[in-house]
Amino acid sequence: MSEESKPVKGKGKEKDKEKEKEKAAKKLHRAIDGLSKDQVSQLLDLNPALANELGSGSNDDPNAVSEALRRLNLQDIMTGLASSGKNVKDMGAYKFWQTQPVPKFGEDDPNKPVEEGPIRNQTVDEIDKEPAPLLGGFEWSTIDLLDDSQLKEVWELLNGHYVEDDEAMFRFNYSSSILKWAMMPPGWKKEWHRGVRATQSRKLVGFIAAIPVELRIRDKVLRASEVNFLCIHKKLRSKRLAPVLIKEITRLCNLEGVFQAIYTGGIVLPRPVSTCRYYHRAINWQKLYEVGFSPLPPNSKPQFQIRKYAVPERVSIRGLREMQKKDVGAVQDLLTRYLAKYDMAAEFNKEEVEHWLLHHKKDALEEQVVWTYVVEDEHKKITDFISFYCLESSIIGPSKHSNVKAAYLFYYATETGLATPTDKEALKTRLNALVSDTLVYCKQYKFDVYNALSLMDNGLFLEDQKFGPGDGQLHYYLFNYRANPIAGGVDKKNRLDTENLSGIGKTQI
């Protein structure tokens, strides 16, 4: 019987779990004991939710903070939230990242800017031409997403073993359409879709993907990769396959002369360049309440919440319409000028704008992934656009509903935000109108919730449009590139910072 198909006996399961917890706690305490005072301070600065849980600030006694950290469990440290979640990450991950070209906790003076640039310089000739060997019983596999059967394998792995919430109530449910959209943009490379198979059964048990991106960090443009969809079969998490997959995707990118990467995660690793917070706007509040996503506030009633999150019946902006192929050039020009405001953003050519923002209705078999709306003035000029994409979450436990259909705010741009000097109040008014109108479309297309991060200029409308702060954070990381911190739209207490808006203009799927 292959390793991944062995049944789990019920009797010794709890004892095994307790042993795992004890091991994790010992590792955690050793890691905490090894942190310097500066490292403890930086860990809290980069994770405001964790600081809130501890009731601590960076000026507190580091010894007291370390002792408080020791009292938390492994998940608390890694996510910054006091919860007993299912996505427990091994503190040993820090040992791996110590070997990688990433900024380390405590290595820089937080009060002094660093010189930005690559951490390690290499040439393609120095890169291994063959992958590192895997544990016995496993082998490397390049995944061809043009092959429907292999695409289905990736879909099955992600939908069974990818990101869950802390209470294991919801799990991302990526459709085959969104997987192709996310992993096959212009310039995509089949070799950058890398899997691990069990040799005997041929079952796909691990996966990681990368796509090319022109990434601008302040005034420098990097030919980089965007790494995503790292997933390991749950029964193989103890095999330490994640570091091996990360090294392999690094090797494959390096062979193409790509030595920098961007990636995101909900856990704190060495070392985020920015941290954003998730915000959620209920559309179908009754359903969200029934599945446990939205609580009923004290002293409230369901009908009050339904009324609170009511959506307008029609849009308000004159000239707002669905994006068409003829708009690609104008949208690309507007987006390029708008993203130039931010410290970190991608640079898109016309082909990429068409891929990421335009739904081709002629592909009748492809379900719609992205919706984009433009505003055309009386002179036929595109003055604004706004977009969102669909990502469902499966409901894991017993429920009358099987899924939550979520819209995620994607890219937007408006000429109102490009005036010199910027009229912040006018921009706030315009963005509120645009987002309010997309709510109308979200309701029309039966979305249950609208999600957004505290990036871009989102701080100008999130509260006005009744987006509530979520538990989750999204940390942005750069591989083999040292950069000074970039504002993520929240302050050190993890509250929306409407005065100092985010410098992040790069959204992640």
Side-chain angles (χ1 to χ4, degrees):
M1 186 177 286
S2 63
E3 183 69 28
E4 71 276 6
S5 62
K6 285 181 181 174
V8 179
K9 304 266 175 146
K11 200 143 188 183
K13 203 171 173 184
E14 290 305 318
K15 287 184 180 178
D16 290 343
K17 281 186 178 178
E18 288 305 315
K19 286 181 181 177
E20 286 177 13
K21 283 182 181 177
E22 286 178 20
K23 285 182 182 177
K26 287 178 182 176
K27 270 187 184 178
L28 172 61
H29 293 161
R30 285 198 298 269
I32 292 168
D33 291 340
L35 293 177
S36 68
K37 292 180 181 180
D38 286 343
Q39 288 173 323
V40 170
S41 296
Q42 283 198 22
L43 180 63
L44 293 183
D45 284 345
L46 290 164
N47 201 342
L50 176 59
N52 277 351
E53 289 292 340
L54 296 174
S56 307
S58 57
N59 296 323
D60 290 357
D61 178 8
N63 294 326
V65 174
S66 293
E67 185 55 38
L69 283 171
R70 288 173 64 92
R71 291 195 296 270
L72 292 177
N73 65 28
L74 187 63
Q75 176 73 357
D76 300 333
I77 301 298
M78 298 300 281
T79 67
L81 299 167
S83 58
S84 54
K86 301 293 183 183
N87 294 321
V88 177
K89 302 292 182 182
D90 190 346
M91 204 66 176
Y94 279 87
K95 188 181 291 187
F96 165 70
W97 288 108
Q98 288 294 324
T99 68
Q100 301 302 299
V102 296
K104 311 298 191 294
F105 289 118
E107 71 176 359
D108 305 317
D109 183 341
N111 299 313
K112 292 182 180 178
V114 300
E115 182 179 352
E116 299 191 333
I119 296 172
R120 182 170 69 195
N121 290 308
Q122 289 179 288
T123 65
V124 174
D125 291 339
E126 298 174 67
I127 307 304
D128 291 334
K129 301 303 183 285
E130 298 296 328
L134 286 166
L135 290 170
F138 300 97
E139 60 186 57
W140 291 111
S141 177
T142 297
I143 308 301
D144 184 0
L145 297 183
L146 293 174
D147 180 337
D148 288 343
S149 64
Q150 294 186 55
L151 177 64
K152 185 180 179 183
E153 287 183 285
V154 174
W155 177 85
E156 288 174 343
L157 179 67
L158 293 174
N159 281 277
H161 306 275
Y162 201 45
V163 179
E164 295 175 2
D165 69 300
D166 286 341
E167 287 76 35
M169 296 170 65
F170 310 98
R171 183 187 300 124
F172 284 143
N173 180 12
Y174 288 92
S175 67
S176 58
S177 295
I178 199 171
L179 291 178
K180 288 195 283 188
W181 177 68
M183 288 192 268
M184 299 171 69
W188 69 277
K189 301 176 189 299
K190 186 175 82 170
E191 294 75 19
W192 288 7
H193 301 152
R194 196 65 157 150
V196 171
R197 294 187 182 278
T199 303
Q200 187 175 351
S201 66
R202 305 297 302 150
K203 185 180 179 69
L204 185 68
V205 296
F207 182 75
I208 194 169
I211 58 173
V213 60
E214 293 289 311
L215 183 67
R216 180 181 55 77
I217 301 171
R218 297 186 171 93
D219 60 347
K220 295 178 183 175
V221 179
L222 309 178
R223 181 174 170 242
S225 61
E226 181 177 326
V227 179
N228 204 349
F229 298 109
L230 171 58
C231 183
I232 310 292
H233 192 288
K234 286 179 180 178
K235 293 183 180 179
L236 300 176
R237 300 271 165 92
S238 64
K239 301 291 185 184
R240 305 290 298 152
L241 284 173
V244 181
L245 277 164
I246 292 167
K247 286 182 178 179
E248 174 65 359
I249 200 68
T250 301
R251 183 186 73 87
L252 292 169
C253 291
N254 290 170
L255 285 174
E256 298 287 341
V258 175
F259 295 97
Q260 279 74 41
I262 181 172
Y263 52 104
T264 56
I267 62 171
V268 178
L269 299 168
R271 191 181 63 187
V273 68
S274 187
T275 296
C276 298
R277 187 174 187 177
Y278 276 106
Y279 283 75
H280 312 285
R281 205 286 187 189
I283 299 171
N284 185 347
W285 184 88
Q286 182 67 40
K287 179 178 176 181
L288 297 178
Y289 174 62
E290 289 170 355
V291 302
F293 187 91
S294 295
L296 180 63
N299 304 317
S300 186
K301 296 179 180 179
Q303 58 265 37
F304 295 161
Q305 295 302 110
I306 292 169
R307 196 178 309 141
K308 174 183 177 179
Y309 293 109
V311 173
E313 292 297 322
R314 56 182 63 87
V315 299
S316 63
I317 298 176
R318 180 174 297 184
L320 185 69
R321 61 169 174 79
E322 199 167 356
M323 179 180 173
Q324 301 170 17
K325 187 167 183 177
K326 67 178 183 178
D327 305 318
V328 168
V331 168
Q332 189 248 350
D333 173 71
L334 180 58
L335 178 62
T336 299
R337 289 184 289 121
Y338 201 83
L339 291 181
K341 303 193 307 174
Y342 304 109
D343 291 333
M344 183 165 75
E347 297 201 341
F348 298 108
N349 60 33
K350 289 180 181 178
E351 291 73 26
E352 289 166 330
V353 166
E354 181 174 347
H355 172 84
W356 291 118
L357 298 179
L358 185 64
H359 172 63
H360 290 277
K361 292 185 177 180
K362 63 182 180 181
D363 297 333
L365 297 177
E366 291 288 334
E367 58 186 298
Q368 188 161 356
V369 171
V370 64
W371 286 256
T372 303
Y373 297 89
V374 300
V375 179
E376 187 176 60
D377 68 11
E378 62 272 20
H379 305 295
K380 302 298 182 183
K381 179 185 177 183
I382 302 300
T383 59
D384 316 73
F385 85 87
I386 187 166
S387 60
F388 56 87
Y389 65 89
C390 172
L391 176 53
E392 294 186 0
S393 287
S394 300
I395 297 167
I396 300 172
S399 173
K400 63 187 287 187
H401 305 284
S402 61
N403 72 314
V404 171
K405 188 176 180 183
Y408 283 75
L409 181 62
F410 200 32
Y411 285 103
Y412 58 79
T414 172
E415 292 285 0
T416 306
L418 295 173
T420 305
T422 300
D423 186 336
K424 198 170 180 180
E425 282 305 311
L427 177 58
K428 179 176 181 177
T429 299
R430 190 59 168 180
L431 290 178
N432 270 280
L434 285 164
V435 175
S436 178
D437 281 0
T438 57
L439 274 166
V440 176
Y441 293 120
C442 286
K443 183 179 179 182
Q444 177 183 327
Y445 290 110
K446 309 296 184 186
F447 284 95
D448 301 312
V449 64
Y450 201 2
N451 296 329
L453 285 158
S454 58
L455 43 65
M456 295 181 71
D457 295 323
N458 295 4
L460 297 177
F461 62 77
L462 287 172
E463 291 178 340
D464 289 344
Q465 295 303 315
K466 302 175 186 174
F467 284 79
D471 291 336
Q473 292 176 297
L474 190 69
H475 305 285
Y476 280 74
Y477 299 94
L478 297 172
F479 187 86
N480 196 23
Y481 197 85
R482 183 175 281 107
N484 289 293
I486 298 172
V490 288
D491 61 21
K492 288 194 174 183
K493 292 188 176 180
N494 208 26
R495 299 174 304 197
L496 197 64
D497 193 341
T498 56
E499 293 302 315
N500 300 301
L501 296 173
S502 175
I504 299 291
K506 175 78 177 73
T507 68
Q508 299 293 101
I509 298 164

